[in-house]
Amino acid sequence: MTTSGPLSPVSRTALSVANVRALESERPGGLFTDPYARAFVTAAGYTTSGNPGPYAMALVQYTVIRTRFYDDYLLGAAADGIRQVVLLAAGLDTRAYRLPWPDGVRLYELDLPPVLEFKERVLAGEGAAPRCERTALDVDLRDADWPDRLVAAGFDPEAPTAWLVEGLLIYLTEQQAAGLLDTVGRLSAPGSRLAHERGRDISAAAAADPSIAHVVSLWKGGLGTGLGDWLGRHGWHVETHPLDAVAERHGRSWTGTGPDMAGFHVSTRS
């Protein structure tokens, strides 16, 4: 991947996610279509290596189900009248371009400069046009000024927001995850929604599958299994969506093995 700056190891995981989305988009009966995912993979010269183990294969299934779940979450929020969407650590997400947004949606994508620079170049090469009002902000979510920059770009903290934190919290420490979610809470008007993966115990992950060790080694656990309780104590009404139930709803049976992949939280701001 060629950018003006180096990608962090966590940022590079966006390529593996794009590859999964490309493969799912190309299979008959896929749960979604991402017409730009293959372009990212090709432009980066991304290739998989070695033989994937059982946990690696489970992560592929999980990523497919997760993508569709969050697609439905965002479109559901928009259908309910929420017109402000924020994708934290957006990576190579193309929902601004591929989902059928209603009129008036303003979508903000936040990520590090090298990721967004690569993304913009590839999308421009594909002639992609967003289907809503899209603003990309090159920010580091570990810096204290990202909320100010978001507001300066037009974000209205008095309006309900649909937040998506996809695939991020597990890469943060407990303190970092709590700090990020606390900031999101302060920016969220009543009725705002927040979606992300459920916290889980990653203590057994390192030994689960050597083929995925390079990814697992980056995990820091976030708030772990206490994530839902933390949200409940900080002004959110939490709904839990178990992974097997989400998979069944879309005609897929969850057959993943390895450390628990427990599904998703969708929470509403009180």
Side-chain angles (χ1 to χ4, degrees):
M1 182 185 293
T2 301
T3 70
S4 64
L7 285 174
S8 71
V10 173
S11 293
R12 289 195 63 82
T13 64
L15 284 171
S16 61
V17 172
N19 189 55
V20 170
R21 289 177 176 164
L23 293 171
E24 181 68 12
S25 298
E26 293 159 1
R27 63 171 284 179
L31 293 188
F32 54 84
T33 300
D34 186 339
Y36 307 107
R38 179 60 62 193
F40 293 131
V41 173
T42 300
Y46 176 83
T47 57
T48 58
S49 58
N51 296 317
Y55 189 37
M57 296 303 296
L59 275 176
V60 170
Q61 293 183 57
Y62 176 71
T63 299
V64 169
I65 296 165
R66 182 180 77 181
T67 299
R68 175 56 186 270
F69 179 81
Y70 289 148
D71 285 357
D72 292 345
Y73 154 72
L74 290 171
L75 290 178
D80 289 341
I82 295 178
R83 290 294 182 267
Q84 190 164 247
V85 177
V86 180
L87 311 182
L88 298 180
L92 301 178
D93 185 296
T94 62
R95 290 184 174 96
Y97 297 83
R98 65 180 180 81
L99 293 185
W101 298 101
D103 292 342
V105 168
R106 304 182 69 182
L107 184 148
Y108 299 87
E109 297 182 13
L110 280 61
D111 213 318
L112 296 170
V115 177
L116 292 179
E117 289 167 9
F118 171 74
K119 182 177 185 175
E120 299 297 328
R121 177 168 61 82
V122 172
L123 290 173
E126 294 294 304
R131 303 175 71 175
C132 61
E133 183 179 342
R134 171 182 178 263
T135 300
L137 290 176
D138 54 347
V139 302
D140 189 330
L141 294 172
R142 296 168 298 185
D143 292 342
D145 69 341
W146 74 262
D148 293 334
R149 292 193 56 200
L150 180 61
V151 171
F155 174 85
D156 181 3
E158 301 301 318
T161 303
W163 298 88
L164 178 57
V165 188
E166 183 174 11
L168 172 63
L169 296 179
I170 200 169
Y171 293 99
L172 304 180
T173 65
E174 180 178 355
Q175 182 178 10
Q176 289 171 334
L180 178 66
L181 293 175
D182 184 62
T183 300
V184 168
R186 287 188 282 107
L187 292 170
S188 295
S192 294
R193 300 179 190 177
L194 169 65
H196 48 74
E197 295 82 68
R198 291 173 65 185
R200 60 186 190 265
D201 182 358
I202 64 169
S203 59
D209 185 345
S211 73
I212 206 74
H214 61 293
V215 174
V216 173
S217 66
L218 301 173
W219 291 355
K220 298 178 181 178
L223 286 160
T225 57
L227 176 56
D229 290 339
W230 188 98
L231 290 166
R233 295 192 304 270
H234 289 80
W236 296 92
H237 173 71
V238 182
E239 293 184 358
T240 298
H241 299 264
L243 183 57
D244 55 353
V246 175
E248 183 178 0
R249 185 161 73 239
H250 295 297
R252 302 285 176 94
S253 59
W254 172 246
T255 58
T257 58
D260 178 37
M261 297 181 197
F264 315 98
H265 286 313
V266 174
S267 305
T268 303
R269 191 67 171 166
S270 303

